[in-house]
Amino acid sequence: MIQPEKIIIADDHPLFRQALLGTLKAKLSYTNWLEAQTIAELEQLLDENNDSDLLLLDLNIPGAHGFNTLIHVRNHFPQIPVVIVSAHEDHDTISKAMGYGAAGFIPKSTPVVDIYNAIITILSGDVWLPASFQQAQVNDADSDIAERVASLTQQQYRILMMFAQGMLNKQIAYDLNVSEATIKAHATAIFRKLNVRNRTQAVIAIGQLDLQETGFDSQQK
C-alpha cells in the first residue's frame, strides 16, 4: 500500500478536517499530515515543504478567491499534485478545476472511505473524479486570465490577494516588511501582467476565476 511521506490539507473547517484525518491517519499511519486554515498558512507550508506528496485544497479556504490559489500553486509548485476537496459539486466547478491543473476533484459529500480510495488512486498517478462528471472545456476568457495569474511571482500574487482584501499600500508594506515604493513597483508589474490599469480592474479580472455561489454552498459554509 502507498504510504506518502507528507500531505498538506488546506481547509478552514475543523470538524471536516478532524473527520477526514480520523480515517486517513489510521490508514496512512506513516504519513506526516500538515494543516492550513488560511492562504497565508498554506503559503508558508508550501515554502517549507515543497517536497510534499499531495495537497488537498478547499476552494473556499479564506483568501483563496476561487480558482486563483489552484492556478498559483500549480505554477509555482508543479511537483505537488493538487486535489480539490470542495462543497461545490457542480459540473462547471469540477471542469474548471481540472482545466486549471487539479489532479482530482473530491466533493465533500463523498464518504470518507471513498476519499481515502480517491487519494490512493491519485497518488498512484491516476485521476479521480465523481462518477457522474463529464469534462467540459474551459472558455477562452477564463483560460487567458488564468495564464496571466500563473505568470505572477509569489510576492506579486501575495500582493494581488491583499488588493482583493481591500488593503492599502501602506498596510501591505507593513505586513510584508517592505517599503511602499516596493509595493507600488510590484503593483505596476501586476497590472502589466494582468493587462489592467489599476487595482480595481485587477480585482475585477481575477473575479472571473471566483466560484459561483449557490444556496447549497452557502449552507455548507
Side-chain angles (χ1 to χ4, degrees), residues 144-186:
D144 178 65
I145 189 60
E147 290 178 7
R148 293 179 183 277
V149 168
S151 74
L152 299 175
T153 66
Q154 291 196 59
Q155 188 76 326
Q156 289 168 354
Y157 179 78
R158 190 173 291 118
I159 291 170
L160 176 60
M161 293 299 102
M162 290 177 164
F163 286 168
Q165 294 172 32
M167 295 177 65
L168 302 175
N169 286 352
K170 181 183 297 185
Q171 295 172 302
I172 297 172
Y174 178 81
D175 280 4
L176 298 182
N177 196 28
V178 298
S179 68
E180 282 190 64
T182 297
I183 299 301
K184 290 178 180 178
H186 279 305

Side-chain angles (χ1 to χ4, degrees), residues 2 4 6-7 12 78-79 95 97 117 153 159 169 186 208 214:
I2 297 172
K6 196 180 299 182
I7 294 179
D12 64 321
Q79 73 279 13
S95 180
N117 291 330
T153 66
I159 291 170
N169 286 352
H186 279 305
Q208 296 177 43
T214 67

Side-chain angles (χ1 to χ4, degrees), residues 99-145:
Y100 295 142
F105 193 105
I106 304 173
K108 283 192 172 180
S109 60
T110 305
V112 175
V113 173
D114 290 341
I115 292 179
Y116 163 74
N117 291 330
I119 290 173
I120 295 303
T121 297
I122 292 164
L123 287 171
S124 299
D126 294 325
V127 172
W128 193 95
L129 293 167
S132 62
F133 173 72
Q134 294 181 346
Q135 181 73 42
Q137 293 292 322
V138 175
N139 70 52
D140 291 340
D142 289 345
S143 179
D144 178 65
I145 189 60

Side-chain angles (χ1 to χ4, degrees), residues 10-12 36-43 61-63:
D11 191 292
D12 64 321
Q37 298 186 64
T38 65
I39 289 303
E41 291 179 4
L42 174 58
E43 287 180 348
I61 188 173

Side-chain angles (χ1 to χ4, degrees), residues 48-95:
E48 296 173 353
N49 302 275
N50 59 18
D51 59 341
S52 294
D53 296 284
L54 195 68
L55 166 62
L56 303 178
L57 175 65
D58 179 3
L59 290 173
N60 272 333
I61 188 173
H65 295 279
F67 297 100
N68 286 279
T69 297
L70 169 61
I71 293 165
H72 176 72
V73 173
R74 292 301 301 134
N75 187 61
H76 290 278
F77 302 92
Q79 73 279 13
I80 304 177
V82 181
V83 179
I84 301 302
V85 183
S86 179
H88 292 259
E89 303 181 20
D90 60 281
H91 276 52
D92 184 58
T93 297
I94 299 173
S95 180

